[in-house]
Amino acid sequence: MNSYILDNSLLEEFKQALSDHDDFLINTYSNYNGKNLWSLICSAKDWLSVSVNGLPYIDLTHAHDDFRSLNVLQLIMTYDIVLQSIEQLLRVFEMEYTLKNDSSVFNAAIPDDAYFAQIRACFGAHPVDLRIADGTKTTNKYFASWSSDISNSGDNGDYSVFLYSNNPNVVQPISFSMSFANIHEFIVKRYSLLTSMISVIKKKNGIFIEDQRLQEIGHSSDVVEQLQILIRENSIRIGEGEGYHYDIQTLIELFTAPQEFPERERQEADQYLNSLHLLVNELYDALQSMTFSENAVTQGHLIHSRSPKFKGLNYDLEKVFEYLNNPYFRADRVDYHLRRLISEGLLPSYVSRQTDKLDLHLLLLARLTVNEKKH
C-alpha cells in the first residue's frame, strides 16, 4: 500500500551485528559511565523494527479524507521514530552526526532536521500550537488547518496545510506543503547511517578484543585460586554470568566439594578431578586469546558428560541435575531418580538427599566420565 518504505535488509544486518557482538555490547554498555545504554540500544532496535516493518502497511490512498490525513501523520511520525532512534544510537556509539546541518533535501533556509520538525508539527504532531511558520521561530503563534491532498490547494507537493496566525497583522493564511518523496529521501539518508554504525560496532569490538589479549591473565598453582581468577576475567572480558561463567563456577564447586564419602569413591573423584586440569588450561587459553566458541574448549564434555551406557537414564539424570542446579526444585521429587541411578550402578548405595550436593555432583560426573571413556 505504501511505497515510501525503508530497506529491511539493512535493519536485519544491524540486528545481526548486535547479536554477533552482544557479549561485548552488554558488557560495555550496561554500565557505561554510570548509565545503562544497553537499554537504549535495545529500545532503538525495537522501534526501528516496528517502524521499518510497519511502513508498508500505511495506507496513503484511503478513500476517506480524514482517515488519509491521519495516515499521513502516521507516516511522518514513523519517520520521526526512525530519526530519533538513529540519533540516539549515534550518541551511544559516540559517532558524529554528519547530517546535522545538511539542507540538501528540502533546500530551505534552515537545516533539513529543523524543516522536518516543522513538517511533523504542522501535519499533526501539534498543529494547534505552532511557534513557527517556515521553520524559523517567532513570537507569533500559528494554527494549522486540516491537511489535504495538494490537488485541492493548487500548491506544489503531495499534501498541504494552511497556517493561520494569532497576529492579525500577519498576511494569512500561509500555505505550507510537503512532498512524500522529499521526506522519504530525508529519512533514507539518516536510516542509511546504520551502515557506518555496523562498522563502528565491529571496530569497537575488535579494539576491545586486542586490548584484552594484551592483558595477561594471572597464573596460580592452586587450581581453585586459578579458577577464581578466571571467573573474574570472564566477567571483565565477556560479562557477568556470561561466556564460560557456568563452566568455571562448576569447576570451582567440584574442586571444593567436601568429599565426605568412602576411600574408594575418593580415589575415583581424585582421578576425575585430575583430568579436569586439562579443561582449566583450555579455559585459561580461551579467555586469554578472547576466543568464545564451542571449538575453543574440547574438554567441556568432562563436566557435561552423558555416557551412552546410561542412555535409558537420561530423564533421571536430567532430574538429578535439575535438583543440583535449581534451588526451586522440590527436593522430595529427586528420591525416585536417585534410587534409579543407584539401582543401575551409576551411584553408590549410600547416596541420598542427605548427601552434600557438591559431593553428589562430583560423584555423578566422575562415574559418568569413567563410563564415557569405556565407550
Side-chain angles (χ1 to χ4, degrees):
M1 288 188 288
N2 172 28
S3 59
Y4 300 104
I5 60 176
L6 296 172
D7 180 11
N8 183 64
S9 65
L10 177 55
L11 174 62
E12 291 304 313
E13 187 180 350
F14 174 70
K15 289 163 67 175
Q16 189 62 51
L18 295 183
S19 177
D20 291 344
H21 304 90
D22 59 350
D23 285 336
F24 161 70
L25 293 169
I26 293 170
N27 199 27
T28 301
Y29 293 104
S30 290
N31 188 346
Y32 192 77
N33 295 329
K35 294 182 179 179
N36 185 348
L37 299 183
W38 173 244
S39 296
L40 195 159
I41 293 171
C42 292
S43 176
K45 178 198 68 172
D46 290 348
W47 280 102
L48 282 171
S49 294
V50 170
S51 301
V52 172
N53 295 326
L55 275 171
Y57 303 98
I58 298 176
D59 184 4
L60 300 176
T61 60
H62 196 278
H64 195 287
D65 290 345
D66 293 338
F67 199 106
R68 197 163 59 252
S69 288
L70 288 176
N71 287 352
V72 169
L73 170 61
Q74 186 181 26
L75 176 71
I76 295 169
M77 296 307 293
T78 302
Y79 285 171
D80 190 54
I81 291 171
V82 173
L83 173 61
Q84 290 181 48
S85 298
I86 295 297
E87 288 178 338
Q88 290 282 40
L89 288 169
L90 289 171
R91 293 189 189 103
V92 169
F93 297 120
E94 298 173 333
M95 297 172 62
E96 181 185 0
Y97 181 31
T98 55
L99 298 173
K100 182 178 181 180
N101 297 312
D102 179 62
S103 58
S104 62
V105 176
F106 300 118
N107 295 311
I110 56 175
D112 284 345
D113 283 358
Y115 196 83
F116 177 76
Q118 170 73 353
I119 292 173
R120 182 193 63 189
C122 291
F123 284 87
H126 48 91
V128 296
D129 184 18
L130 301 168
R131 290 286 183 179
I132 49 181
D134 58 0
T136 305
K137 287 188 177 181
T138 70
T139 56
N140 299 327
K141 280 192 173 184
Y142 290 88
F143 317 102
S145 68
W146 57 43
S147 61
S148 60
D149 296 90
I150 218 72
S151 58
N152 296 332
S153 66
D155 210 337
N156 295 320
D158 293 302
Y159 247 71
S160 69
V161 294
F162 287 107
L163 303 179
Y164 300 89
S165 174
N166 67 340
N167 185 345
N169 298 317
V170 172
V171 177
Q172 48 192 316
I174 301 169
S175 178
F176 184 81
S177 62
M178 67 91 179
S179 157
F180 291 143
N182 280 352
I183 61 172
H184 181 249
E185 180 185 354
F186 166 82
I187 203 60
V188 165
K189 290 183 73 172
R190 282 139 186 85
Y191 177 66
S192 297
L193 294 175
L194 282 179
T195 300
S196 55
M197 212 173 293
I198 292 167
S199 298
V200 166
I201 290 171
K202 293 177 180 178
K203 182 179 179 180
K204 285 179 177 289
N205 182 64
I207 291 171
F208 177 77
I209 288 174
E210 289 306 314
D211 286 346
Q212 292 303 312
R213 283 174 176 166
L214 294 174
Q215 303 295 322
E216 186 174 355
I217 298 173
H219 286 279
S220 175
S221 57
D222 181 276
V223 66
V224 175
E225 187 175 314
Q226 181 66 72
L227 288 166
Q228 289 169 341
I229 292 171
L230 292 182
I231 208 164
R232 287 195 298 271
E233 288 293 333
N234 185 84
S235 296
I236 295 169
R237 294 165 183 248
I238 309 177
E240 186 71 34
E242 303 293 335
Y244 300 118
H245 177 91
Y246 174 79
D247 286 354
I248 299 170
Q249 185 61 46
T250 298
L251 287 167
I252 291 173
E253 292 171 357
L254 292 172
F255 277 105
T256 56
Q259 296 195 31
E260 295 173 347
F261 38 69
E263 181 62 28
R264 178 184 173 184
E265 279 74 34
R266 281 206 194 106
Q267 291 178 4
E268 289 180 7
D270 287 343
Q271 184 178 357
Y272 169 66
L273 290 172
N274 188 55
S275 71
L276 292 180
H277 285 270
L278 292 172
L279 178 56
V280 175
N281 292 337
E282 282 193 337
L283 289 168
Y284 179 98
D285 292 340
L287 285 167
Q288 182 62 66
S289 64
M290 295 292 287
T291 306
F292 312 119
S293 68
E294 293 182 3
N295 297 331
V297 179
T298 63
Q299 300 298 316
H301 64 93
L302 293 173
I303 56 174
H304 302 286
S305 183
R306 293 292 186 273
S307 173
K309 178 181 177 181
F310 301 104
K311 188 175 181 181
L313 297 173
N314 281 347
Y315 181 71
D316 301 288
L317 287 168
E318 179 184 323
K319 289 302 174 184
V320 172
F321 280 119
E322 188 175 356
Y323 161 72
L324 291 171
N325 297 305
N326 182 0
Y328 302 105
F329 184 82
R330 277 182 52 185
D332 59 311
R333 292 181 176 177
V334 80
D335 292 337
Y336 168 78
H337 304 291
L338 288 175
R339 288 195 297 270
R340 284 264 297 159
L341 298 184
I342 291 170
S343 67
E344 294 295 329
L346 186 54
L347 287 175
S349 59
Y350 57 80
V351 166
S352 70
R353 242 194 299 156
Q354 282 65 50
T355 303
D356 183 274
K357 281 190 174 184
L358 297 184
D359 278 349
L360 176 55
H361 200 178
L362 177 57
L363 282 170
L364 190 53
L365 286 175
R367 290 286 182 91
L368 283 169
T369 303
V370 168
N371 281 281
E372 186 179 71
K373 289 179 179 178
K374 291 178 180 178
H375 289 75

